[in-house]
């Protein structure tokens, strides 16, 4: 059987306009590899390390959302290779955005800068293990029993738009049987923040990690932050502020404790406005 067709000029400039269908088959865009070869060393060498790690996490049913810590699956050496792989992917994004990354001096090297920034800075909290927070006993007779409120400056990124989120967390606890160094509250909060998050989720994450590190059951976390995704795009709201609160134990159940926490926050804000 004979059919008329128009050859692709870039590939088949010389071909005339008729062909015998049975003698041709379409050149597919997908390339296949034998499943058995994928499992061999050869297959792995050609695959991306990032795919291998994703495969392992799926196998283990480990969640790897933008706000999840996956440090158990990523070693320091892996990070270098993952940055190389992400560089390649960001190069493709720039190409698709029609940015001349070869001739534009400001776009030259941007793909690698982006890859390094994601792994080492704005999403570092996904790949680094929990910060060390040595606990000191607080169980003697004159133990500290009061409220402790720490102000922690935060930089984060929303997982919806990858736009910056910046703000402050106020972390309050009633001291339990152990205490951690004051700077550790902020280290833990920043470790939670340096991921792709939602503010609501971040507030919960900080409360959970502070509870783990201090053993305190009575605690509160209040965050106020501005979101790049509301300021730079969408509704372009320049002075919008988002506030979230997580309260546990006495902070939730006892009105006086709750009031003391928020009074302390007001005093903090007089001392250091946002
Ligand atoms: Zn957003």
């Amino acid at each position: 059987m004979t059919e008329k067709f128009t050859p692709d000029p870039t590939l088949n400039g010389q071909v005339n306009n008729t062909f015998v269908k049975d003698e041709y088959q379409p050149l597919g865009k997908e390339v296949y590899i034998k499943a058995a070869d994928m499992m061999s060393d050869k297959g792995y060498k050609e695959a991306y390390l990032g795919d291998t790690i994703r495969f392992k996490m799926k196998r283990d049913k480990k969640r790897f959302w933008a706000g999840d810590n996956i440090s158990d699956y990523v070693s320091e050496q892996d990070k270098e290779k993952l940055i190389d792989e992400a560089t390649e992917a960001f190069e493709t994004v720039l190409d698709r955005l029609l940015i001349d990354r070869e001739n534009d001096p400001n776009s030259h090297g941007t793909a690698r800068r982006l890859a390094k920034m994601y792994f080492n800075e704005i999403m570092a909290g996904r790949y680094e293990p929990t910060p060390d927070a040595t606990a000191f006993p607080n169980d003697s007779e004159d133990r500290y029993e009061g409220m402790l409120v720490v102000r922690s400056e935060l930089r984060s990124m929303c997982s919806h738009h990858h736009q910056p989120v910046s703000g402050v967390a106020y972390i309050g606890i009633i001291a339990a049987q152990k205490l951690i160094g004051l700077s550790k509250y902020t280290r833990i909060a920043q470790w939670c923040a340096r991921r792709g998050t939602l503010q609501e989720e971040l507030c919960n994450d900080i409360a959970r990690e502070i509870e783990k590190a201090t053993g305190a059951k009575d605690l509160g976390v209040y965050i106020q932050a501005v979101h790049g995704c509301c300021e730079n795009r969408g509704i372009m709201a320049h002075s919008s502020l988002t506030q979230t609160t997580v309260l546990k134990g006495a902070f939730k159940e006892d009105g006086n404790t709750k009031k003391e926490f928020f009074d302390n926050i007001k005093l903090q804000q007089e001392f250091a406005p946002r």
Side-chain angles (χ1 to χ4, degrees):
M1 125 190 207
T2 307
E3 268 186 20
K4 293 257 182 197
F5 82 116
T6 308
D8 181 327
T10 56
L11 295 174
N12 299 296
Q14 315 299 328
V15 180
N16 71 30
N17 270 10
T18 51
F19 79 116
V20 180
K21 196 180 183 184
D22 292 344
E23 289 176 7
Y24 287 82
Q25 57 182 33
L27 178 65
K29 281 190 175 171
E30 286 175 282
V31 180
Y32 292 91
I33 182 166
K34 260 190 174 174
D37 288 346
M38 256 321 270
M39 301 311 289
S40 70
D41 269 2
K42 182 174 157 280
Y44 265 128
K45 263 175 215 151
E46 308 219 336
Y48 286 103
L49 173 63
D51 288 336
T52 310
I53 294 174
R54 283 195 306 121
F55 168 79
K56 285 182 189 163
M57 292 190 290
K58 282 185 177 176
R59 178 198 62 196
D60 300 350
K61 299 196 164 42
K62 158 75 186 160
R63 203 178 79 165
F64 52 103
W65 294 4
D68 290 331
N69 181 277
I70 53 168
S71 57
D72 285 348
Y73 289 82
V74 179
S75 72
E76 268 310 304
Q77 296 101 293
D78 287 347
K79 242 189 257 177
E80 288 308 307
K81 180 91 168 69
L82 292 169
I83 287 170
D84 287 344
E85 292 179 0
T87 299
E88 215 182 294
F90 278 122
E91 282 170 359
T92 306
V93 172
L94 293 171
D95 291 346
R96 296 296 169 269
L97 291 172
L98 307 175
I99 293 169
D100 184 355
R101 59 186 172 83
E102 272 120 39
N103 296 303
D104 173 0
N106 300 321
S107 300
H108 190 77
T110 293
R112 177 159 291 275
R113 277 190 288 274
L114 284 169
K116 285 170 82 172
M117 178 181 74
Y118 269 84
F119 276 94
N120 297 334
E121 293 170 306
I122 58 180
M123 280 210 174
R126 300 189 72 230
Y127 311 107
E128 288 169 1
T130 328
D132 276 334
T134 313
F136 305 99
N138 181 45
D139 51 9
S140 64
E141 246 173 51
D142 58 347
R143 61 185 294 267
Y144 180 72
E145 293 178 318
M147 183 181 292
L148 185 86
V149 179
V150 176
R151 176 186 191 275
S152 301
E153 285 170 7
L154 297 183
R155 286 287 180 277
S156 190
M157 186 182 85
C158 83
S159 47
H160 290 158
H161 301 92
H162 288 205
Q163 283 286 303
V165 174
S166 65
V168 184
Y170 297 92
I171 302 164
I173 65 163
I174 305 287
Q177 300 296 305
K178 54 186 184 178
L179 292 172
I180 58 171
L182 291 178
S183 66
K184 303 304 181 194
Y185 294 90
T186 300
R187 291 234 180 274
I188 291 171
Q190 288 176 345
W191 174 70
C192 293
R194 278 151 72 96
R195 308 175 190 185
T197 61
L198 296 187
Q199 190 174 321
E200 299 89 328
E201 178 185 66
L202 177 58
C203 211
N204 272 328
D205 289 351
I206 294 175
R208 190 188 54 245
E209 294 300 329
I210 294 293
E211 187 178 344
K212 261 195 235 168
T214 61
K217 296 290 169 210
D218 306 309
L219 65 102
V221 177
Y222 165 78
I223 300 180
Q224 60 176 42
V226 291
H227 290 243
C229 63
C230 297
E231 291 194 331
N232 307 330
R233 53 162 296 287
I235 57 167
M236 307 267 219
H238 281 274
S239 48
S240 71
L241 183 69
T242 304
Q243 299 169 302
T244 46
T245 311
V246 171
L247 301 173
K248 296 187 178 196
F251 283 67
K252 190 176 179 178
E253 284 134 30
D254 175 43
N256 288 335
T257 308
K258 184 174 173 179
K259 184 173 182 309
E260 187 183 341
F261 179 49
F262 283 101
D263 285 349
N264 275 328
I265 290 173
K266 272 186 214 126
L267 293 170
Q268 290 259 17
Q269 287 172 336
E270 279 168 26
F271 178 72
R274 186 173 72 81

